[in-house]
Amino acid sequence: MHRPCPRTTRRSAVGALAALALAAGGIAATSPAHAADPNLVRNAGFENGLSPWTCSAGSGTVSGSPVHGGTAALRATPAGQDTARCSQTVSVKPDSAYQLSAWVQGSYAYLGASGTGTTDVSTWTPGTGSDWKQLTTSFTTGANTTSVTVYTHGWYGQGPYTVDDVTLTGPGGGDPSDPVPAAPGGLAAGRTTSSSVTLSWTPTTGATGYRVYQDGTRVQEVAGASATVTGLSPSTSYRFQVTAVNAAGESPRSAEVTATTTAGGGGPAVPKHAVTGYWQNFDNGATVQKISDVSDQYDIIAVAFADATTTPGAISFTLDPALKYDEARFKADIAAKHAAGKSVVLSVGGERGTISVNDSASANNFADSAWALMQKYGFDGVDIDLENGINPTYMTQALRALSAKAGGKLVITMAPQTLDMQSTSAGYFRTALNIKDILTVVNTQFYNSGSMNGCDGKVYSQGTVDFLTALACIQLEGGLDPGQVGLGLPASTRGAGSGYVPPSVVNNALDCLAKGTSCGTFKPAKTYPGIRGAMTWSTNWDAANGNAWSNAVGPHVHALP
């Protein structure tokens, strides 16, 4: 297992996520909403068209039939990785109780509220046919919360859903006598992909939300001072502006910024055969490095590790002050690795890390916070290095939600322990198979494990060619593509408690699997020339040993057929 910083002042992984039941029906608030309070949702029955609702990827339209009440309803259709999410931002008061409800019909339909400042909530139904069903949930706002986002969405691969008569009751948050906010300043374009542009701006005093305009047309309404506009075309320039809103009205538009999407996605493509290395965001005796110091032999650099936050499911990242590494330099170094064709991902977990994604709310929080960190620092994706159990249902949901935000260039790596990949029924293995269509590579830690069963049913001791090949065979024959299988080993004897093998043994195991040569007593029934490559813990321990591991394994991996 990976060995993070031993100092007790720093945790090397994400803390535990709090629970939110993903079940049909409501979630009780701490206190009831005020029965006399008016509905805070604007255009709640969609009789006035879609505004101020915004729907992802143009997925929502207003329809005259079927309706629950009035003359119109919202009809939204999921497509591909888009769940047809429609939302609006509503002004609320801090430390107040609210009840949210809506009538839904058709296929899978979700109703929820985010940005509550406490626990974001959602409820759902797997489908109602031609009947209408009321979804209801409740929440209490945080001490500083002045707006929340009310939303509905469907689910991947499911049919359209219809929503009508959305109601949010509780204390109104805005005073119409308040002044209209000033236009936001500091609008800037950040990370771009072939289909998205990330925008940020300076928060405006008195604003309860912001509206984003693309080429003069409003496309989003968000609560915070950033947004990602999706559904764009490759190699195309777009003009953006934002406005600030509150109960009194909408500000003038900001200064305009122009951004051009990339030709082929966000970060560089991972090569057919790749070497992964973990970069330590702490000092534990190994060589302290900047990202720019990492050997060019590494194709994927996994930054270890993400930090826990007080929000259930959310992760954060902060550079360890002991490294004396400026954040601007860190971002620039990641960009330079991109220019050199490398990928940089954020690792979640580690030896001492505990994370529990056991419900829909924590899965969504994980995806939202991981996407925010990708936008901020330029990470190309995430590495799942959970050594304390994994829930395949909700980790799958989290990673698919992240994929829906990031698009086709998302890099997802995993570093399970050997025990986690002994059977396809194990949670880690099931998660890998669940996301096979978006998974980059599983680099199993073939160390710190003792003896294990191989795919032939025999027991093999770690530290040998047979151990690596016979255990990798389980994954290769268990449903993963060869390009999704990598061999994880320590870079030196100091990098792990046990299981170190010389780089020559790693290379022999790769040759055995890819070409049927240099095998030990175990020889697989067939070859796997597409095997992805190898991983090591860590680039820092490798550097402390003169980069002996990467200088030997890197060229060998890159020369595989």
Side-chain angles (χ1 to χ4, degrees), residues 1-2 42 110 113 228 235 238 277 372 402 436 442 475 507 551:
M1 63 180 61
H2 296 160
R42 292 163 291 164
Y110 287 70
T228 298
S235 302
Y238 294 91
L402 180 58
K436 183 177 176 180
V442 177
Q475 301 166 47
N507 292 341
N551 286 339

Side-chain angles (χ1 to χ4, degrees), residues 17 57 96 236 266 294 325 466 473 515 535 543 554 560:
L17 285 77
S96 300
T236 303
V294 175
Y325 200 174
D466 288 337
C473 172
K515 299 181 287 186
M535 171 273 283
L560 288 171

Side-chain angles (χ1 to χ4, degrees), residues 198-424:
T198 299
L199 303 170
S200 62
W201 54 89
T202 304
T204 302
T205 301
T208 58
Y210 300 89
R211 294 172 181 170
V212 180
Y213 291 82
Q214 170 192 318
D215 295 332
T217 301
R218 191 172 82 193
V219 293
Q220 278 193 46
E221 184 163 341
V222 297
S226 65
T228 298
V229 181
T230 59
L232 307 179
S233 299
S235 302
T236 303
S237 293
Y238 294 91
R239 297 174 292 107
F240 298 99
Q241 292 172 290
V242 295
T243 62
V245 295
N246 62 12
E250 181 178 12
S251 77
R253 296 186 186 184
S254 70
E256 189 175 89
V257 66
T258 300
T260 302
T261 53
T262 62
V270 176
K272 177 181 178 181
H273 299 296
V275 178
T276 302
Y278 285 80
W279 176 84
Q280 299 178 182
N281 183 36
F282 47 82
D283 180 4
N284 66 346
T287 300
V288 173
Q289 292 182 309
K290 291 181 169 57
I291 294 294
S292 57
D293 299 326
V294 175
S295 167
D296 288 340
Q297 295 293 342
Y298 292 100
D299 304 290
I300 303 173
I301 301 168
V303 172
F305 292 99
D307 296 314
T309 75
T310 57
T311 300
I315 59 174
S316 66
F317 176 78
T318 304
L319 287 165
D320 191 327
L323 304 186
K324 296 180 173 60
Y325 200 174
D326 179 77
E327 184 176 286
R329 169 74 185 277
F330 179 71
K331 294 178 181 178
D333 287 349
I334 290 176
K337 286 296 183 182
H338 286 162
K342 314 298 183 182
S343 298
V344 183
V345 299
L346 178 61
S347 182
V348 179
E351 179 184 3
R352 303 178 185 176
T354 301
I355 184 170
S356 179
V357 181
N358 288 327
D359 53 54
S360 182
S362 54
N364 289 335
N365 288 341
F366 177 87
D368 290 345
S369 57
W371 175 234
L373 293 172
M374 289 174 63
Q375 296 170 315
K376 179 177 180 179
Y377 292 101
F379 296 127
D380 298 290
V382 293
D383 169 71
I384 306 301
D385 180 18
L386 304 175
E387 301 182 7
N388 295 277
I390 188 170
N391 184 310
T393 298
Y394 293 107
M395 182 51 70
T396 296
Q397 179 182 326
L399 294 174
R400 287 205 174 276
L402 180 58
S403 177
K405 298 173 185 292
K409 288 290 186 177
L410 176 68
V411 177
I412 299 177
T413 66
M414 292 183 169
Q417 299 172 101
T418 51
L419 185 63
D420 297 323
M421 301 301 287
Q422 284 277 285
S423 168
T424 55

Side-chain angles (χ1 to χ4, degrees), residues 70-150:
T71 60
L74 168 68
R75 184 174 175 84
T77 305
Q81 294 184 335
D82 178 64
T83 59
R85 186 179 192 272
C86 299
S87 64
Q88 72 165 265
T89 300
V90 180
S91 298
V92 294
K93 288 185 177 180
D95 292 322
S96 300
Y98 292 86
Q99 182 169 337
L100 173 66
S101 67
W103 290 89
V104 298
Q105 185 216 63
S107 190
Y108 278 70
Y110 287 70
L111 173 70
S114 61
T116 63
T118 54
T119 299
D120 291 348
V121 296
S122 68
T123 183
W124 71 297
T125 176
T128 69
S130 60
D131 297 328
W132 287 92
K133 178 178 180 178
Q134 188 177 35
L135 297 179
T136 302
T137 185
S138 301
F139 61 90
T140 300
T141 52
N144 300 307
T145 302
T146 57
S147 66
V148 298
T149 298
V150 174

